[in-house]
Amino acid sequence: MAAAIECGADTNTSENTMSLKKALSAASPLTLRIVAECPVTKARACDLILPHSAVSTPVFMPVGTQGTLKGITVDQLEGLGCQICLGNTYHLGMRPGPDLIEKASGLHGFMNWKRNLLTDSGGFQMVSLVELSEVTEEGVKFKSPYDGKEILLTPEKSISIQNSLGSDIMMQLDDVVSSTVTGPRVEEAMHRSIRWLDRCIAANKNPDKQNLFAIIQGGLNAKLRKACLDEMTQRDVPGFAIGGLSGGEEKDDFWRMVTLSTDHLPREKPRYLMGVGYAVDLVVCVALGCDMFDCVFPTRTARFGSALVPWGSLQVKHKQYAKDLQPIDPDCQCPTCKRHSRAYLHALFKSDTAAMHHITIHNIAYQLTLMRSVRQSIVEGRFPEFIRTFMKRMFPSRDQYPSWAVDALASVSVTLE
């Protein structure tokens, strides 16, 4: 187990180093059991044992930014079989604030969620709220989008908020730059993320209850990403995330950075690919060796009337569905598809926000069902066949397959017919 090492500016004190060693020596409240591995690709099916329940991977994690998923209740989310969802440290830290949530027995008690929670660190807001933020070695200075007040989010503050939230998985505060940025800023952010990881480890007051994941940075530069992997994997953290991607970069660059990362991440630790939620991306990146995914896409697209289906998407607000009495997907077993027709949802969408609610339920069900099917195919030793069937259903013809997906799958010995 490695102690803190120098990587650029030295911000470690002897006290921080001692705290770091103590935190690293604590037993992790996480167990990863590999159930099956695909003999062709890098895909695997695992049982991830966390403090509140087990999670079957590969897994898609819905995003509940402020302690709730927009358009769906906690009971409905549980009824869909969701085992883990996300909360946002930045927004929850701003309001209602960590003190109130801690009094409510953490975010689990506050939102009455009995299963697992993952909280992000607030680092992504460096990109999403870039006009309002300024990064220094100390942390990130934000202007609150709510009242304009200046806030300093340090690694220690991020972990303190996440300790109050009581999430099963916490993310380190990392220095996030857009995936389309190049030049010295990418290297600076990578080295700073390593230093901030050590500060996060030292600040964690609950290493026996909460799992802190490191986030691999390095942009689209293979040399920088490999350097970050080499450094961060020396820390015996419970899991690793692949960050700094899915932000508008070319897909050819995206998949190559994903597979580079999984090639060098430890087999015995969970691998979380951040911000990925399109169905094709999920299937391909499972093949490249990722276990966990999150994205706002299925809930956000639902609010525009777009329902996810095995052949892409179905726009229920379009006139062609005004008299269509079929469910969104005749093969789907979600509450929306069991009870409502395309025609009903089309009519409702024009006059009532309940339409968005029904489509949100369907879209979350689609994502969770897709990942359960992926896992089952891995366990049964037929994942490459699953991929081929999935792609044939998603795209009308072979020449419509995205070239990046064809190349990515070929890199793990899956050829598409």
Side-chain angles (χ1 to χ4, degrees), residues 303-411:
R303 297 195 290 276
F304 293 93
S306 181
L308 305 179
V309 288
W311 56 94
S313 64
L314 187 148
Q315 309 302 319
V316 298
K317 58 186 177 182
H318 287 182
K319 186 191 289 187
Q320 70 193 82
Y321 301 113
K323 297 180 181 180
D324 190 338
L325 296 178
Q326 293 184 88
I328 291 171
D329 178 2
D331 295 325
C332 179
Q333 298 301 307
C334 81
T336 298
C337 288
K338 283 183 175 180
R339 296 172 186 162
H340 303 302
S341 67
R342 297 171 182 178
Y344 173 75
L345 294 170
H346 172 85
L348 199 63
F349 196 85
K350 293 187 173 183
S351 60
D352 196 325
T353 56
M356 303 178 194
H357 165 80
H358 292 309
I359 300 170
T360 297
I361 289 175
H362 168 80
N363 283 0
I364 294 297
Y366 171 82
Q367 299 285 97
L368 298 179
T369 300
L370 172 63
M371 299 311 279
R372 282 193 284 266
S373 299
V374 167
R375 175 185 167 94
Q376 185 176 357
S377 74
I378 296 169
V379 171
E380 294 176 358
R382 52 179 181 82
F383 181 53
E385 265 317 304
F386 174 91
I387 296 172
R388 295 185 184 102
T389 301
F390 167 84
M391 294 294 284
K392 284 179 182 177
R393 186 90 192 273
M394 184 63 70
F395 300 100
S397 63
R398 171 67 173 76
D399 58 10
Q400 291 182 314
Y401 290 176
S403 60
W404 74 268
V406 174
D407 292 343
L409 291 169
S411 77

Side-chain angles (χ1 to χ4, degrees), residues 121-250:
S121 64
F124 178 69
Q125 275 64 44
M126 295 181 202
V127 175
S128 64
L129 300 176
V130 66
E131 299 86 1
L132 303 175
S133 67
E134 175 192 348
V135 185
T136 67
E137 187 62 33
E138 187 179 5
V140 194
K141 290 180 182 176
F142 288 100
K143 280 189 178 176
S144 168
Y146 304 114
D147 58 16
K149 289 182 180 177
E150 190 172 276
I151 304 124
L152 176 63
L153 183 65
T154 65
E156 293 78 12
K157 182 63 175 176
S158 173
I159 295 301
S160 175
I161 295 172
Q162 292 184 80
N163 281 157
S164 294
L165 297 179
S167 49
D168 300 86
I169 297 175
M170 307 186 297
M171 304 307 300
Q172 75 154 106
L173 183 65
D174 53 340
D175 187 355
V176 183
V177 294
S178 170
S179 58
T180 57
V181 169
T182 57
R185 179 69 182 97
V186 179
E187 183 170 7
E188 175 191 49
M190 183 274 286
H191 286 302
R192 181 173 287 136
S193 293
I194 297 169
R195 296 192 296 273
W196 282 5
L197 172 59
D198 289 340
R199 289 170 62 185
C200 287
I201 292 169
N204 184 12
K205 295 177 182 177
N206 300 323
D208 58 331
K209 297 177 184 177
Q210 294 179 272
N211 299 284
L212 175 62
F213 278 27
I215 303 177
I216 306 299
Q217 290 291 347
L220 305 179
N221 185 311
K223 184 178 178 181
L224 292 180
R225 195 162 282 269
K226 177 61 166 57
C228 191
L229 282 156
D230 289 345
E231 288 290 349
M232 286 192 171
T233 53
Q234 292 182 49
R235 281 77 170 161
D236 189 19
V237 291
F240 293 90
I242 302 168
L245 299 174
S246 198
E249 72 277 5
E250 293 293 327

